[in-house]
Amino acid sequence: MTNQIAERIALIRQQLPATVRLIAVTKQVSVEAMRVAYQAGIRDFGESRIQEAASKQQQLQDLPDITWHLIGSLQSNKAKRAIELFQWIHSLDSLKLAQRLDRLAQELCCRPQVCLQVKILSDPNKSGWTIPDLLASLPELNRCHNLQIEGLMAIPPLDLNDAEILNFFEQTRDLADKIRQQHWSNLQMHQLSMGMSDDYQLAVQAGATMVRLGRIIFGDRVYQGAVTSDQ
Ligand SMILES: *Cc1c(COP(=O)(O)O)cnc(C)c1O
């Protein structure tokens, strides 16, 4: 298994435009496999759970230049731990959480980079801002000066065909463009975190700047109840 990881990363890297950031999603992946990915050039790792990330960060302390991305939903009682552990939070899904992160970032004297997770289509399985909610929240988000609000993150619903997925990603891009054209001082909106193993090529076609890839690099995840129970 591990000897395929480097090959897979090289292949994916070849297909991706140089400007697209490849985030290796390592939930349920061993630190040994993560070291192989690091050797193959990966410096961005995405994790879904605080506990799992904390443990891996300790075991990988000797690798100094990793950027850690939180991609899973964040409970507000873990917000402080999240900004201590992650430079990027892709799953910022409510104004309340944004304001809490903003206060905590001020206390901790850091400025985490965040993406706003949007729900372009209604999806009972996903959290995130609806478009009207997000547009209504922009003035308050713009006041969260301790957050670097970089762009949008979106995950398509499971039942779409390729044309619909592409359209979904294009709508996400158009929403980011629309917000950027409003020239908010604190909303950069240059980043689009979209695309997973099954749909990243469509996401890149629609303008993704960051793709979050797990299975296509590391193979299928083997879920173990004990490991997933921390959140
Ligand atoms: C698990 C996960 C990914 C990676 O998914 P793969 O299908 O393994 O590529 C990307 N983004 C989020 C938010 C995830 O939870």
PDB file of all heavy atoms in Angstrom, residues 66-101:
ATOM      1  N   ILE A  66       4.624  21.506   8.001  1.00  0.00           N
ATOM      2  CA  ILE A  66       3.294  21.051   7.585  1.00  0.00           C
ATOM      3  C   ILE A  66       2.262  22.138   7.876  1.00  0.00           C
ATOM      4  O   ILE A  66       2.315  22.791   8.915  1.00  0.00           O
ATOM      5  CB  ILE A  66       2.902  19.759   8.343  1.00  0.00           C
ATOM      6  CG1 ILE A  66       3.815  18.605   7.925  1.00  0.00           C
ATOM      7  CG2 ILE A  66       1.432  19.404   8.099  1.00  0.00           C
ATOM      8  CD1 ILE A  66       3.561  17.314   8.697  1.00  0.00           C
ATOM      9  N   THR A  67       1.342  22.327   6.953  1.00  0.00           N
ATOM     10  CA  THR A  67       0.167  23.167   7.211  1.00  0.00           C
ATOM     11  C   THR A  67      -1.015  22.231   7.459  1.00  0.00           C
ATOM     12  O   THR A  67      -1.285  21.329   6.661  1.00  0.00           O
ATOM     13  CB  THR A  67      -0.123  24.083   6.003  1.00  0.00           C
ATOM     14  OG1 THR A  67       1.007  24.926   5.786  1.00  0.00           O
ATOM     15  CG2 THR A  67      -1.351  24.954   6.261  1.00  0.00           C
ATOM     16  N   TRP A  68      -1.699  22.465   8.579  1.00  0.00           N
ATOM     17  CA  TRP A  68      -2.811  21.603   8.977  1.00  0.00           C
ATOM     18  C   TRP A  68      -4.138  22.283   8.664  1.00  0.00           C
ATOM     19  O   TRP A  68      -4.354  23.444   9.016  1.00  0.00           O
ATOM     20  CB  TRP A  68      -2.715  21.286  10.476  1.00  0.00           C
ATOM     21  CG  TRP A  68      -1.522  20.428  10.795  1.00  0.00           C
ATOM     22  CD1 TRP A  68      -0.269  20.869  11.125  1.00  0.00           C
ATOM     23  CD2 TRP A  68      -1.460  18.991  10.795  1.00  0.00           C
ATOM     24  NE1 TRP A  68       0.566  19.790  11.331  1.00  0.00           N
ATOM     25  CE2 TRP A  68      -0.130  18.639  11.130  1.00  0.00           C
ATOM     26  CE3 TRP A  68      -2.388  17.982  10.524  1.00  0.00           C
ATOM     27  CZ2 TRP A  68       0.284  17.304  11.217  1.00  0.00           C
ATOM     28  CZ3 TRP A  68      -1.970  16.655  10.622  1.00  0.00           C
ATOM     29  CH2 TRP A  68      -0.650  16.327  10.965  1.00  0.00           C
ATOM     30  N   HIS A  69      -5.023  21.505   8.031  1.00  0.00           N
ATOM     31  CA  HIS A  69      -6.325  22.030   7.605  1.00  0.00           C
ATOM     32  C   HIS A  69      -7.430  21.257   8.315  1.00  0.00           C
ATOM     33  O   HIS A  69      -7.488  20.019   8.203  1.00  0.00           O
ATOM     34  CB  HIS A  69      -6.508  21.837   6.098  1.00  0.00           C
ATOM     35  CG  HIS A  69      -5.470  22.525   5.249  1.00  0.00           C
ATOM     36  ND1 HIS A  69      -5.735  23.690   4.557  1.00  0.00           N
ATOM     37  CD2 HIS A  69      -4.172  22.216   4.980  1.00  0.00           C
ATOM     38  CE1 HIS A  69      -4.640  24.057   3.889  1.00  0.00           C
ATOM     39  NE2 HIS A  69      -3.678  23.181   4.137  1.00  0.00           N
ATOM     40  N   LEU A  70      -8.312  21.947   8.996  1.00  0.00           N
ATOM     41  CA  LEU A  70      -9.498  21.293   9.552  1.00  0.00           C
ATOM     42  C   LEU A  70     -10.588  21.324   8.481  1.00  0.00           C
ATOM     43  O   LEU A  70     -10.986  22.394   8.014  1.00  0.00           O
ATOM     44  CB  LEU A  70      -9.988  22.011  10.812  1.00  0.00           C
ATOM     45  CG  LEU A  70     -11.250  21.398  11.434  1.00  0.00           C
ATOM     46  CD1 LEU A  70     -10.999  19.982  11.953  1.00  0.00           C
ATOM     47  CD2 LEU A  70     -11.790  22.272  12.564  1.00  0.00           C
ATOM     48  N   ILE A  71     -11.066  20.124   8.109  1.00  0.00           N
ATOM     49  CA  ILE A  71     -12.075  20.063   7.048  1.00  0.00           C
ATOM     50  C   ILE A  71     -13.414  19.543   7.556  1.00  0.00           C
ATOM     51  O   ILE A  71     -14.405  19.614   6.855  1.00  0.00           O
ATOM     52  CB  ILE A  71     -11.578  19.182   5.876  1.00  0.00           C
ATOM     53  CG1 ILE A  71     -11.288  17.764   6.368  1.00  0.00           C
ATOM     54  CG2 ILE A  71     -10.346  19.795   5.224  1.00  0.00           C
ATOM     55  CD1 ILE A  71     -11.067  16.784   5.231  1.00  0.00           C
ATOM     56  N   GLY A  72     -13.452  18.999   8.766  1.00  0.00           N
ATOM     57  CA  GLY A  72     -14.695  18.457   9.303  1.00  0.00           C
ATOM     58  C   GLY A  72     -15.430  19.487  10.144  1.00  0.00           C
ATOM     59  O   GLY A  72     -14.852  20.497  10.536  1.00  0.00           O
ATOM     60  N   SER A  73     -16.698  19.239  10.410  1.00  0.00           N
ATOM     61  CA  SER A  73     -17.480  20.251  11.113  1.00  0.00           C
ATOM     62  C   SER A  73     -16.950  20.443  12.536  1.00  0.00           C
ATOM     63  O   SER A  73     -16.436  19.524  13.165  1.00  0.00           O
ATOM     64  CB  SER A  73     -18.960  19.895  11.116  1.00  0.00           C
ATOM     65  OG  SER A  73     -19.168  18.771  11.930  1.00  0.00           O
ATOM     66  N   LEU A  74     -17.050  21.653  12.987  1.00  0.00           N
ATOM     67  CA  LEU A  74     -16.414  22.062  14.240  1.00  0.00           C
ATOM     68  C   LEU A  74     -17.478  22.428  15.267  1.00  0.00           C
ATOM     69  O   LEU A  74     -18.307  23.293  15.024  1.00  0.00           O
ATOM     70  CB  LEU A  74     -15.508  23.277  13.959  1.00  0.00           C
ATOM     71  CG  LEU A  74     -14.842  23.949  15.154  1.00  0.00           C
ATOM     72  CD1 LEU A  74     -13.974  22.963  15.932  1.00  0.00           C
ATOM     73  CD2 LEU A  74     -14.007  25.138  14.683  1.00  0.00           C
ATOM     74  N   GLN A  75     -17.444  21.743  16.417  1.00  0.00           N
ATOM     75  CA  GLN A  75     -18.341  22.096  17.511  1.00  0.00           C
ATOM     76  C   GLN A  75     -17.752  23.292  18.247  1.00  0.00           C
ATOM     77  O   GLN A  75     -16.537  23.381  18.406  1.00  0.00           O
ATOM     78  CB  GLN A  75     -18.473  20.925  18.482  1.00  0.00           C
ATOM     79  CG  GLN A  75     -19.150  19.713  17.874  1.00  0.00           C
ATOM     80  CD  GLN A  75     -18.976  18.469  18.724  1.00  0.00           C
ATOM     81  OE1 GLN A  75     -18.348  18.503  19.778  1.00  0.00           O
ATOM     82  NE2 GLN A  75     -19.515  17.361  18.249  1.00  0.00           N
ATOM     83  N   SER A  76     -18.645  24.171  18.728  1.00  0.00           N
ATOM     84  CA  SER A  76     -18.111  25.424  19.271  1.00  0.00           C
ATOM     85  C   SER A  76     -17.272  25.193  20.532  1.00  0.00           C
ATOM     86  O   SER A  76     -16.350  25.949  20.805  1.00  0.00           O
ATOM     87  CB  SER A  76     -19.235  26.421  19.513  1.00  0.00           C
ATOM     88  OG  SER A  76     -20.046  25.968  20.554  1.00  0.00           O
ATOM     89  N   ASN A  77     -17.548  24.111  21.280  1.00  0.00           N
ATOM     90  CA  ASN A  77     -16.720  23.874  22.474  1.00  0.00           C
ATOM     91  C   ASN A  77     -15.305  23.418  22.121  1.00  0.00           C
ATOM     92  O   ASN A  77     -14.447  23.330  22.999  1.00  0.00           O
ATOM     93  CB  ASN A  77     -17.405  22.877  23.425  1.00  0.00           C
ATOM     94  CG  ASN A  77     -17.595  21.504  22.801  1.00  0.00           C
ATOM     95  OD1 ASN A  77     -17.533  21.353  21.582  1.00  0.00           O
ATOM     96  ND2 ASN A  77     -17.808  20.505  23.621  1.00  0.00           N
ATOM     97  N   LYS A  78     -15.063  23.112  20.842  1.00  0.00           N
ATOM     98  CA  LYS A  78     -13.702  22.727  20.445  1.00  0.00           C
ATOM     99  C   LYS A  78     -13.021  23.816  19.615  1.00  0.00           C
ATOM    100  O   LYS A  78     -11.960  23.597  19.038  1.00  0.00           O
ATOM    101  CB  LYS A  78     -13.747  21.432  19.638  1.00  0.00           C
ATOM    102  CG  LYS A  78     -14.299  20.292  20.490  1.00  0.00           C
ATOM    103  CD  LYS A  78     -14.000  18.935  19.936  1.00  0.00           C
ATOM    104  CE  LYS A  78     -14.407  17.879  20.956  1.00  0.00           C
ATOM    105  NZ  LYS A  78     -14.903  16.660  20.337  1.00  0.00           N
ATOM    106  N   ALA A  79     -13.639  24.992  19.603  1.00  0.00           N
ATOM    107  CA  ALA A  79     -13.132  26.056  18.730  1.00  0.00           C
ATOM    108  C   ALA A  79     -11.716  26.486  19.132  1.00  0.00           C
ATOM    109  O   ALA A  79     -10.858  26.713  18.270  1.00  0.00           O
ATOM    110  CB  ALA A  79     -14.074  27.248  18.761  1.00  0.00           C
ATOM    111  N   LYS A  80     -11.470  26.575  20.430  1.00  0.00           N
ATOM    112  CA  LYS A  80     -10.155  27.042  20.876  1.00  0.00           C
ATOM    113  C   LYS A  80      -9.076  26.048  20.464  1.00  0.00           C
ATOM    114  O   LYS A  80      -8.046  26.425  19.896  1.00  0.00           O
ATOM    115  CB  LYS A  80     -10.170  27.218  22.400  1.00  0.00           C
ATOM    116  CG  LYS A  80      -8.848  27.669  22.971  1.00  0.00           C
ATOM    117  CD  LYS A  80      -9.046  28.354  24.318  1.00  0.00           C
ATOM    118  CE  LYS A  80      -7.731  28.852  24.884  1.00  0.00           C
ATOM    119  NZ  LYS A  80      -7.081  27.842  25.725  1.00  0.00           N
ATOM    120  N   ARG A  81      -9.346  24.782  20.743  1.00  0.00           N
ATOM    121  CA  ARG A  81      -8.403  23.728  20.362  1.00  0.00           C
ATOM    122  C   ARG A  81      -8.162  23.754  18.841  1.00  0.00           C
ATOM    123  O   ARG A  81      -7.043  23.556  18.379  1.00  0.00           O
ATOM    124  CB  ARG A  81      -8.998  22.385  20.810  1.00  0.00           C
ATOM    125  CG  ARG A  81      -8.022  21.278  20.927  1.00  0.00           C
ATOM    126  CD  ARG A  81      -7.139  21.412  22.156  1.00  0.00           C
ATOM    127  NE  ARG A  81      -6.139  20.345  22.112  1.00  0.00           N
ATOM    128  CZ  ARG A  81      -4.854  20.544  21.866  1.00  0.00           C
ATOM    129  NH1 ARG A  81      -4.393  21.763  21.680  1.00  0.00           N
ATOM    130  NH2 ARG A  81      -4.019  19.524  21.835  1.00  0.00           N
ATOM    131  N   ALA A  82      -9.220  24.015  18.105  1.00  0.00           N
ATOM    132  CA  ALA A  82      -9.094  24.028  16.643  1.00  0.00           C
ATOM    133  C   ALA A  82      -8.123  25.110  16.188  1.00  0.00           C
ATOM    134  O   ALA A  82      -7.278  24.861  15.324  1.00  0.00           O
ATOM    135  CB  ALA A  82     -10.467  24.227  15.990  1.00  0.00           C
ATOM    136  N   ILE A  83      -8.218  26.308  16.784  1.00  0.00           N
ATOM    137  CA  ILE A  83      -7.268  27.335  16.288  1.00  0.00           C
ATOM    138  C   ILE A  83      -5.866  27.101  16.812  1.00  0.00           C
ATOM    139  O   ILE A  83      -4.913  27.572  16.197  1.00  0.00           O
ATOM    140  CB  ILE A  83      -7.647  28.812  16.570  1.00  0.00           C
ATOM    141  CG1 ILE A  83      -8.740  28.971  17.567  1.00  0.00           C
ATOM    142  CG2 ILE A  83      -7.918  29.571  15.339  1.00  0.00           C
ATOM    143  CD1 ILE A  83      -9.235  30.400  17.658  1.00  0.00           C
ATOM    144  N   GLU A  84      -5.748  26.378  17.904  1.00  0.00           N
ATOM    145  CA  GLU A  84      -4.389  26.049  18.348  1.00  0.00           C
ATOM    146  C   GLU A  84      -3.733  25.037  17.401  1.00  0.00           C
ATOM    147  O   GLU A  84      -2.532  25.072  17.184  1.00  0.00           O
ATOM    148  CB  GLU A  84      -4.418  25.468  19.770  1.00  0.00           C
ATOM    149  CG  GLU A  84      -4.726  26.515  20.834  1.00  0.00           C
ATOM    150  CD  GLU A  84      -5.080  25.898  22.182  1.00  0.00           C
ATOM    151  OE1 GLU A  84      -5.261  24.660  22.268  1.00  0.00           O
ATOM    152  OE2 GLU A  84      -5.194  26.659  23.149  1.00  0.00           O
ATOM    153  N   LEU A  85      -4.537  24.140  16.849  1.00  0.00           N
ATOM    154  CA  LEU A  85      -3.975  23.023  16.071  1.00  0.00           C
ATOM    155  C   LEU A  85      -3.909  23.273  14.564  1.00  0.00           C
ATOM    156  O   LEU A  85      -3.085  22.678  13.877  1.00  0.00           O
ATOM    157  CB  LEU A  85      -4.803  21.756  16.306  1.00  0.00           C
ATOM    158  CG  LEU A  85      -4.752  21.142  17.704  1.00  0.00           C
ATOM    159  CD1 LEU A  85      -5.800  20.033  17.823  1.00  0.00           C
ATOM    160  CD2 LEU A  85      -3.366  20.578  18.003  1.00  0.00           C
ATOM    161  N   PHE A  86      -4.808  24.096  14.049  1.00  0.00           N
ATOM    162  CA  PHE A  86      -4.941  24.205  12.589  1.00  0.00           C
ATOM    163  C   PHE A  86      -4.667  25.630  12.120  1.00  0.00           C
ATOM    164  O   PHE A  86      -5.168  26.587  12.702  1.00  0.00           O
ATOM    165  CB  PHE A  86      -6.362  23.813  12.156  1.00  0.00           C
ATOM    166  CG  PHE A  86      -6.700  22.364  12.399  1.00  0.00           C
ATOM    167  CD1 PHE A  86      -7.327  21.970  13.572  1.00  0.00           C
ATOM    168  CD2 PHE A  86      -6.381  21.404  11.450  1.00  0.00           C
ATOM    169  CE1 PHE A  86      -7.643  20.630  13.801  1.00  0.00           C
ATOM    170  CE2 PHE A  86      -6.690  20.064  11.671  1.00  0.00           C
ATOM    171  CZ  PHE A  86      -7.319  19.675  12.849  1.00  0.00           C
ATOM    172  N   GLN A  87      -3.931  25.745  11.011  1.00  0.00           N
ATOM    173  CA  GLN A  87      -3.724  27.061  10.397  1.00  0.00           C
ATOM    174  C   GLN A  87      -4.917  27.437   9.510  1.00  0.00           C
ATOM    175  O   GLN A  87      -5.164  28.608   9.276  1.00  0.00           O
ATOM    176  CB  GLN A  87      -2.456  27.052   9.529  1.00  0.00           C
ATOM    177  CG  GLN A  87      -1.156  27.001  10.323  1.00  0.00           C
ATOM    178  CD  GLN A  87      -0.806  25.579  10.724  1.00  0.00           C
ATOM    179  OE1 GLN A  87      -0.773  24.678   9.907  1.00  0.00           O
ATOM    180  NE2 GLN A  87      -0.556  25.376  12.006  1.00  0.00           N
ATOM    181  N   TRP A  88      -5.601  26.412   9.018  1.00  0.00           N
ATOM    182  CA  TRP A  88      -6.737  26.637   8.133  1.00  0.00           C
ATOM    183  C   TRP A  88      -7.970  25.924   8.692  1.00  0.00           C
ATOM    184  O   TRP A  88      -7.879  24.769   9.108  1.00  0.00           O
ATOM    185  CB  TRP A  88      -6.479  26.037   6.740  1.00  0.00           C
ATOM    186  CG  TRP A  88      -5.714  26.895   5.791  1.00  0.00           C
ATOM    187  CD1 TRP A  88      -4.363  27.012   5.714  1.00  0.00           C
ATOM    188  CD2 TRP A  88      -6.255  27.730   4.757  1.00  0.00           C
ATOM    189  NE1 TRP A  88      -4.028  27.862   4.694  1.00  0.00           N
ATOM    190  CE2 TRP A  88      -5.161  28.324   4.083  1.00  0.00           C
ATOM    191  CE3 TRP A  88      -7.564  28.032   4.334  1.00  0.00           C
ATOM    192  CZ2 TRP A  88      -5.325  29.198   3.014  1.00  0.00           C
ATOM    193  CZ3 TRP A  88      -7.719  28.911   3.265  1.00  0.00           C
ATOM    194  CH2 TRP A  88      -6.610  29.485   2.621  1.00  0.00           C
ATOM    195  N   ILE A  89      -9.113  26.585   8.628  1.00  0.00           N
ATOM    196  CA  ILE A  89     -10.384  25.933   8.948  1.00  0.00           C
ATOM    197  C   ILE A  89     -11.297  26.107   7.730  1.00  0.00           C
ATOM    198  O   ILE A  89     -11.638  27.229   7.358  1.00  0.00           O
ATOM    199  CB  ILE A  89     -11.009  26.554  10.219  1.00  0.00           C
ATOM    200  CG1 ILE A  89     -10.089  26.294  11.416  1.00  0.00           C
ATOM    201  CG2 ILE A  89     -12.420  25.990  10.458  1.00  0.00           C
ATOM    202  CD1 ILE A  89     -10.513  26.967  12.708  1.00  0.00           C
ATOM    203  N   HIS A  90     -11.621  24.975   7.095  1.00  0.00           N
ATOM    204  CA  HIS A  90     -12.414  25.030   5.855  1.00  0.00           C
ATOM    205  C   HIS A  90     -13.911  24.953   6.122  1.00  0.00           C
ATOM    206  O   HIS A  90     -14.700  25.141   5.207  1.00  0.00           O
ATOM    207  CB  HIS A  90     -12.051  23.847   4.941  1.00  0.00           C
ATOM    208  CG  HIS A  90     -10.668  23.906   4.382  1.00  0.00           C
ATOM    209  ND1 HIS A  90     -10.402  23.913   3.044  1.00  0.00           N
ATOM    210  CD2 HIS A  90      -9.461  23.977   5.000  1.00  0.00           C
ATOM    211  CE1 HIS A  90      -9.084  23.968   2.841  1.00  0.00           C
ATOM    212  NE2 HIS A  90      -8.489  24.003   4.018  1.00  0.00           N
ATOM    213  N   SER A  91     -14.275  24.601   7.342  1.00  0.00           N
ATOM    214  CA  SER A  91     -15.653  24.214   7.629  1.00  0.00           C
ATOM    215  C   SER A  91     -16.370  25.233   8.514  1.00  0.00           C
ATOM    216  O   SER A  91     -17.183  24.872   9.342  1.00  0.00           O
ATOM    217  CB  SER A  91     -15.634  22.848   8.310  1.00  0.00           C
ATOM    218  OG  SER A  91     -14.602  22.808   9.289  1.00  0.00           O
ATOM    219  N   LEU A  92     -16.060  26.501   8.322  1.00  0.00           N
ATOM    220  CA  LEU A  92     -16.724  27.539   9.107  1.00  0.00           C
ATOM    221  C   LEU A  92     -18.145  27.703   8.563  1.00  0.00           C
ATOM    222  O   LEU A  92     -18.340  28.167   7.435  1.00  0.00           O
ATOM    223  CB  LEU A  92     -15.920  28.833   8.996  1.00  0.00           C
ATOM    224  CG  LEU A  92     -16.394  30.039   9.777  1.00  0.00           C
ATOM    225  CD1 LEU A  92     -16.835  29.666  11.178  1.00  0.00           C
ATOM    226  CD2 LEU A  92     -15.297  31.063   9.847  1.00  0.00           C
ATOM    227  N   ASP A  93     -19.135  27.275   9.373  1.00  0.00           N
ATOM    228  CA  ASP A  93     -20.475  27.109   8.817  1.00  0.00           C
ATOM    229  C   ASP A  93     -21.561  27.942   9.485  1.00  0.00           C
ATOM    230  O   ASP A  93     -22.735  27.746   9.194  1.00  0.00           O
ATOM    231  CB  ASP A  93     -20.862  25.624   8.832  1.00  0.00           C
ATOM    232  CG  ASP A  93     -20.829  25.032  10.234  1.00  0.00           C
ATOM    233  OD1 ASP A  93     -20.632  25.796  11.205  1.00  0.00           O
ATOM    234  OD2 ASP A  93     -20.993  23.808  10.357  1.00  0.00           O
ATOM    235  N   SER A  94     -21.194  28.862  10.369  1.00  0.00           N
ATOM    236  CA  SER A  94     -22.223  29.739  10.927  1.00  0.00           C
ATOM    237  C   SER A  94     -21.600  31.036  11.429  1.00  0.00           C
ATOM    238  O   SER A  94     -20.404  31.094  11.727  1.00  0.00           O
ATOM    239  CB  SER A  94     -22.965  29.055  12.082  1.00  0.00           C
ATOM    240  OG  SER A  94     -22.143  29.029  13.237  1.00  0.00           O
ATOM    241  N   LEU A  95     -22.435  32.051  11.515  1.00  0.00           N
ATOM    242  CA  LEU A  95     -21.965  33.348  11.995  1.00  0.00           C
ATOM    243  C   LEU A  95     -21.544  33.258  13.457  1.00  0.00           C
ATOM    244  O   LEU A  95     -20.540  33.834  13.874  1.00  0.00           O
ATOM    245  CB  LEU A  95     -23.072  34.389  11.817  1.00  0.00           C
ATOM    246  CG  LEU A  95     -22.699  35.808  12.214  1.00  0.00           C
ATOM    247  CD1 LEU A  95     -21.502  36.312  11.411  1.00  0.00           C
ATOM    248  CD2 LEU A  95     -23.899  36.749  12.005  1.00  0.00           C
ATOM    249  N   LYS A  96     -22.314  32.497  14.225  1.00  0.00           N
ATOM    250  CA  LYS A  96     -22.000  32.345  15.642  1.00  0.00           C
ATOM    251  C   LYS A  96     -20.598  31.753  15.830  1.00  0.00           C
ATOM    252  O   LYS A  96     -19.806  32.233  16.652  1.00  0.00           O
ATOM    253  CB  LYS A  96     -23.039  31.401  16.272  1.00  0.00           C
ATOM    254  CG  LYS A  96     -23.468  31.840  17.639  1.00  0.00           C
ATOM    255  CD  LYS A  96     -24.623  31.008  18.142  1.00  0.00           C
ATOM    256  CE  LYS A  96     -24.462  30.866  19.640  1.00  0.00           C
ATOM    257  NZ  LYS A  96     -25.413  29.934  20.217  1.00  0.00           N
ATOM    258  N   LEU A  97     -20.305  30.732  15.057  1.00  0.00           N
ATOM    259  CA  LEU A  97     -18.987  30.101  15.150  1.00  0.00           C
ATOM    260  C   LEU A  97     -17.900  31.070  14.666  1.00  0.00           C
ATOM    261  O   LEU A  97     -16.819  31.149  15.258  1.00  0.00           O
ATOM    262  CB  LEU A  97     -18.968  28.803  14.333  1.00  0.00           C
ATOM    263  CG  LEU A  97     -17.664  27.991  14.364  1.00  0.00           C
ATOM    264  CD1 LEU A  97     -17.299  27.588  15.792  1.00  0.00           C
ATOM    265  CD2 LEU A  97     -17.773  26.748  13.477  1.00  0.00           C
ATOM    266  N   ALA A  98     -18.183  31.829  13.632  1.00  0.00           N
ATOM    267  CA  ALA A  98     -17.201  32.802  13.132  1.00  0.00           C
ATOM    268  C   ALA A  98     -16.865  33.817  14.222  1.00  0.00           C
ATOM    269  O   ALA A  98     -15.701  34.142  14.461  1.00  0.00           O
ATOM    270  CB  ALA A  98     -17.748  33.507  11.891  1.00  0.00           C
ATOM    271  N   GLN A  99     -17.903  34.304  14.906  1.00  0.00           N
ATOM    272  CA  GLN A  99     -17.669  35.325  15.921  1.00  0.00           C
ATOM    273  C   GLN A  99     -16.924  34.750  17.122  1.00  0.00           C
ATOM    274  O   GLN A  99     -16.095  35.401  17.731  1.00  0.00           O
ATOM    275  CB  GLN A  99     -19.009  35.968  16.308  1.00  0.00           C
ATOM    276  CG  GLN A  99     -19.543  36.804  15.138  1.00  0.00           C
ATOM    277  CD  GLN A  99     -20.959  37.330  15.340  1.00  0.00           C
ATOM    278  OE1 GLN A  99     -21.767  36.704  16.027  1.00  0.00           O
ATOM    279  NE2 GLN A  99     -21.266  38.460  14.723  1.00  0.00           N
ATOM    280  N   ARG A 100     -17.205  33.491  17.419  1.00  0.00           N
ATOM    281  CA  ARG A 100     -16.483  32.836  18.511  1.00  0.00           C
ATOM    282  C   ARG A 100     -15.009  32.643  18.142  1.00  0.00           C
ATOM    283  O   ARG A 100     -14.111  32.934  18.935  1.00  0.00           O
ATOM    284  CB  ARG A 100     -17.150  31.491  18.822  1.00  0.00           C
ATOM    285  CG  ARG A 100     -16.561  30.772  19.999  1.00  0.00           C
ATOM    286  CD  ARG A 100     -17.320  29.461  20.250  1.00  0.00           C
ATOM    287  NE  ARG A 100     -16.638  28.664  21.254  1.00  0.00           N
ATOM    288  CZ  ARG A 100     -16.795  28.815  22.558  1.00  0.00           C
ATOM    289  NH1 ARG A 100     -17.624  29.742  23.011  1.00  0.00           N
ATOM    290  NH2 ARG A 100     -16.125  28.065  23.413  1.00  0.00           N
ATOM    291  N   LEU A 101     -14.770  32.162  16.941  1.00  0.00           N
ATOM    292  CA  LEU A 101     -13.383  31.980  16.483  1.00  0.00           C
ATOM    293  C   LEU A 101     -12.651  33.323  16.458  1.00  0.00           C
ATOM    294  O   LEU A 101     -11.471  33.405  16.806  1.00  0.00           O
ATOM    295  CB  LEU A 101     -13.348  31.357  15.085  1.00  0.00           C
ATOM    296  CG  LEU A 101     -13.697  29.875  14.963  1.00  0.00           C
ATOM    297  CD1 LEU A 101     -13.768  29.475  13.493  1.00  0.00           C
ATOM    298  CD2 LEU A 101     -12.673  29.003  15.690  1.00  0.00           C
TER     299      LEU A 101
END
